[in-house]
Amino acid sequence: MALGLEANLGDTVITTKLDEVINWGRQYSLWPFVFGTACCAIEFMSAAASQHDISRFGAEVVRFSPRQADLLLVCGTVTYKQAPVLKRIYEQMPDPKWVVSVGACACSGGIYDNYSTVQGIDSIIPVDIYISGCPPRPEAILDALIKLQDQIKGESVLVDRHKDFKGILD
């Protein structure tokens, strides 16, 4: 026997938390922007192609403007010359926004331990998910997308996740 508000309204109304409704929409409608500089970007293209089909997870609308994207995929090596551009792209994205660091070069500089390569993009922008590999397989990109969806599911619309982040360019 149903009690409370649901009993009076019948099957026409569902009651839930606002966070759950908003996050359900966010997690299944991610619009990625790919900052591709190396071979990891080719692996993302493979993840978006028909064999792996990223559209099954609601992320097939790849944007070419950061102002229309909420997921930034940094795929490949980032140099210090590119760092201000990456930071500007991140800042142009509307909130809420998420970042995935794809491959060893974006995560830690990879094999390029030299003066011109950023040793991890988390020194420039906040990162939500790291994908290891050189380059990572398309399945790893899809796995990271699933982990990001789980992360989004537990977030609150009232909390600014990156409010206190300070990068090397700040």
Side-chain angles (χ1 to χ4, degrees):
M1 176 169 191
L3 299 173
L5 182 63
E6 289 87 357
N8 294 334
L9 297 175
D11 294 337
T12 59
V13 175
I14 298 173
T15 56
T16 186
K17 296 177 186 172
L18 185 60
D19 274 343
E20 290 179 9
V21 172
I22 291 173
N23 288 340
W24 175 80
R26 286 177 177 171
Q27 77 187 79
Y28 295 113
S29 63
L30 292 168
W31 289 10
F33 177 89
V34 182
F35 187 82
T37 61
C39 46
C40 293
I42 304 299
E43 293 299 321
F44 173 78
M45 291 176 206
S46 180
S50 60
Q51 183 177 3
H52 298 286
D53 195 18
I54 201 169
S55 64
R56 293 178 293 154
F57 304 98
E60 74 273 12
V61 185
V62 179
R63 308 312 301 177
F64 297 101
S65 168
R67 292 178 183 92
Q68 299 172 348
D70 57 5
L71 171 61
L72 176 60
L73 289 136
V74 182
C75 303
T77 312
V78 177
T79 64
Y80 282 104
K81 236 180 185 179
Q82 295 168 324
V85 175
L86 177 60
K87 176 82 170 167
R88 187 175 313 119
I89 287 171
Y90 176 78
E91 289 171 349
Q92 288 176 349
M93 294 172 63
D95 286 325
K97 53 192 164 193
W98 298 274
V99 177
V100 176
S101 180
V102 181
C105 292
C107 293
S108 66
I111 60 172
Y112 305 107
D113 188 9
N114 57 36
Y115 67 93
S116 65
T117 304
V118 175
Q119 301 299 303
I121 63 162
D122 54 1
S123 63
I124 303 166
I125 57 176
V127 176
D128 294 294
I129 304 286
Y130 295 90
I131 304 175
S132 62
C134 185
R137 299 260 318 139
E139 293 88 350
I141 295 172
L142 297 178
D143 183 56
L145 183 62
I146 293 168
K147 288 179 182 173
L148 183 63
Q149 288 174 332
D150 289 341
Q151 177 183 326
I152 293 169
K153 187 177 188 177
E155 291 180 357
S156 172
V157 297
L158 301 175
V159 177
D160 184 3
R161 299 172 305 123
H162 303 303
K163 169 179 81 167
D164 298 327
F165 179 81
K166 295 290 182 206
I168 60 173
L169 300 177
D170 292 331

